Amino acid sequence: MKNHLLLLLGITLLLISCNLIKPIENSVKVSFTNSVSETSLDGRLLLMFSTNDEKEPRFQINSGLNAQIVFGMDVEGMKPGDEFEFTNMIFGFPYKSLLDIPKGEYYVQALLHTYETFDLATGHTVKLPMDNGEGQQWNRSPGNLYSEPFKVSIGDNGIQNLKVSMDKVIPPIEEVKDTEWIKHIKIKSEKLSEFWGRDMYLGAHILLPKGFKEHPEAEYPLMVFQGHFPSDFGGFRTTPPNPDTKPEYSARFDVEGYNIVQQQEAYDFYTRWNEPDFPRFLIIEIQHPTPYYDDSYAVNSASQGPYGDAITYELIPYIEKEFRGIGEGWSRFLYGGSTGGWEALAVQVKYPQEYNGCFAACPDPIDFRAYCLTDIYEDENAYYYKSQNKQLEVPAHRDYIGNISSTIKDENHLELVLGTKSRSGQQWDIWEATYSPQNEEGYPERIWDKMTGDINPEVAKYWQENYDLRHILERDWDKLGDNLKGKIHIYCGDMDNYYLNNAVYLMEDFLEQTTEPYYEGEVLYGDRAEHCWNGDPELPNHITRMRYNTMYVPKIMKRIEESAPEGADLKSWRY
């Protein structure tokens, strides 16, 4: 009896002591000064911590193994001097709460990713980050406010009454200037301006062929290099590598002096571009950033508007008129890798007669049964494999021997911290912004719950009918086949870092069984090749990724010879 009383007393004292211990109430208050803005601002307020000062925290936020710490909240009407408080309740990554951050020393920084208000033609009013010439990069977008990093210590009492003041603003980006070889254009798009309720623009960098001025009679075929936002036309250099350049190591490719390799490849391209036997083309890189991402995915969509039509029917004809393009479907070709690979194939499928061939390298998922490692039609959850008695996360990124560095849950939770309502400017959110219908607020419908990963089958069905390229081709081959015969070329490494090869396998299965007509293209794989293998079996990825502008030229010339209509101009540009 005595032992029972002692045990009861011990339990009572333990319960009393637990009630006396209060959880740590972390508090970080963030404001901005009137020196950076005198008006109230809307946006996503980010609080960041890094364990080192190799770079500012804003440049160390990612979902990989070297991820640093970030928390985010939406703010509206934030005025100079207003303090917005980060507490334990604010969601973060890779730690969900300020409570979870280990004790230690950190560098802290705050940033406000500013939003603007758009009155859409759909009748919705939305708040989104406008691109400011940087290609939708929140950590360097002109106009965003930020603080200088400073060191803090997190101890037993957590973070108490820490204040961070944003007193700096990211400056505007200077526009690039024309050169002898490269011209830059920007046009107002009537189609996009009507959708967004304000003036919206499309741009492009145009590489002119040798002899452009000397041959005013010549009209040229057009090569459209699809891909992420280009600050200028890349990989073209009129001088050899600078002998004083200090070699830099590329961890991605495990190559020493990769910066010098890049300079040499750019100069080699210039040399090849000028050789007597090289066909004379116009090559363009398009600037089409949206308030959701660094590019629009080059198709029409419910939340981003008619970018496909704007590019194909406004921008392309304008460039061909200004720079003497032939201006007919047989003379236009699409190519690119990753995002650009998906765009090249999607634009060819959506506008089958306006282009004469696509060369899609390592394309983003082109069959949503393999949306990376998720089947959005059959799986119930995107973050975890189906299992009764254990929980295993689905990977998102691997290296060529299968080592995993992030999961789908990781990447989506980071996006949720960077921006709600598909506004993070990152990969999974732009797929939603492109493929999803609008919700009642005017933002994209979620394909899955961003916190839990539970898939919405109704949204998945909408994706299938409108943007699943394999499904569309299979459904409509009787209508599309004759206009796509000989035009589809796909290349992918079989160890693509993002598992994109899985969707390519499924697409190949369909293409190889096509009849009346047979597709008459090609699908090739790189043995143990990572992202973004683009079809050269002889050279390593770190070289071939810089040769997009030349490697498909022989295939394009063959296509022109086989498909140009009677009376087509095949001579004026062959000087």
Side-chain angles (χ1 to χ4, degrees), residues 211-472:
F212 181 81
K213 288 184 179 179
E214 292 78 11
H215 293 269
E217 79 288 353
E219 294 183 340
Y220 303 95
L222 180 70
M223 294 168 61
V224 183
F225 188 8
Q226 302 277 15
H228 294 285
F229 181 89
S231 57
D232 200 347
F233 193 96
F236 187 86
R237 180 186 177 96
T238 60
T239 58
N242 187 337
D244 297 326
T245 300
K246 182 180 178 181
E248 296 176 358
Y249 172 72
S250 169
R252 175 183 176 185
F253 300 112
D254 190 25
V255 174
E256 187 65 52
Y258 191 53
N259 55 327
I260 298 174
V261 174
Q262 289 175 307
Q263 290 184 14
Q264 184 64 55
E265 282 292 323
Y267 179 65
D268 289 347
F269 174 38
Y270 162 75
T271 302
R272 184 80 178 100
W273 192 245
N274 279 276
E275 289 176 353
D277 64 337
F278 197 86
R280 309 306 175 197
F281 290 95
L282 294 169
I283 301 181
I284 65 170
E285 295 185 6
I286 300 174
Q287 287 183 321
H288 48 121
T290 84
Y292 284 100
Y293 197 54
D294 72 357
D295 80 20
S296 68
Y297 272 66
V299 292
N300 299 341
S301 71
S303 293
Q304 297 192 108
Y307 272 91
D309 287 354
I311 292 169
T312 293
Y313 298 126
E314 290 182 322
L315 181 64
I316 297 295
Y318 176 87
I319 291 171
E320 289 172 326
K321 181 179 179 181
E322 291 294 310
F323 298 96
R324 304 201 310 270
I326 292 172
E328 298 178 15
W330 69 266
S331 66
R332 300 180 185 133
F333 297 87
L334 303 151
Y335 63 109
S338 192
T339 290
W342 189 92
E343 290 172 343
L345 180 58
V347 171
Q348 183 66 79
V349 171
K350 296 282 187 177
Y351 303 92
Q353 298 186 67
E354 300 295 342
Y355 302 92
N356 197 18
C358 68
F359 303 85
C362 52
D364 287 0
I366 53 179
D367 185 324
F368 295 154
R369 294 174 298 173
Y371 184 54
C372 297
L373 287 178
T374 300
D375 181 339
I376 68 170
Y377 312 125
E378 297 296 331
D379 293 340
E380 295 178 357
N381 188 282
Y383 296 169
Y384 304 102
Y385 288 105
K386 188 175 182 178
S387 173
Q388 286 187 329
N389 299 311
K390 66 176 293 184
Q391 200 173 63
L392 180 63
E393 286 192 37
V394 179
H397 187 276
R398 64 178 174 181
D399 66 15
Y400 77 99
I401 55 175
N403 294 314
I404 297 166
S405 57
S406 67
T407 66
I408 295 178
K409 178 183 174 183
D410 285 341
E411 294 186 352
N412 279 267
H413 279 191
L414 174 57
E415 290 190 2
L416 189 56
V417 173
L418 295 178
T420 58
K421 301 178 181 178
S422 305
R423 293 181 293 191
S424 71
Q426 306 299 302
Q427 186 61 76
W428 300 92
D429 275 354
I430 182 52
W431 284 334
E432 281 185 335
T434 303
Y435 307 147
S436 286
Q438 281 182 310
N439 64 21
E440 60 184 13
E441 292 183 287
Y443 298 101
E445 285 277 10
R446 292 290 195 193
I447 182 64
W448 56 64
D449 184 294
K450 202 73 167 176
M451 186 63 73
T452 67
D454 291 335
I455 295 172
N456 185 330
E458 293 182 4
V459 176
K461 185 63 176 177
Y462 182 93
W463 282 32
Q464 181 181 46
E465 292 303 314
N466 292 279
Y467 299 101
D468 184 324
L469 299 182
R470 187 275 317 162
H471 173 78
I472 292 169

Side-chain angles (χ1 to χ4, degrees), residues 534-564:
N534 54 12
D536 189 329
E538 305 296 330
L539 293 172
N541 240 17
H542 75 276
I543 296 295
T544 60
R545 65 187 293 268
M546 294 181 284
R547 297 188 178 182
Y548 277 91
N549 290 319
T550 57
M551 67 182 304
Y552 301 131
V553 167
K555 299 176 186 292
I556 289 174
M557 289 303 299
K558 183 174 183 292
R559 177 67 188 162
I560 288 176
E561 292 169 1
E562 294 173 347
S563 63

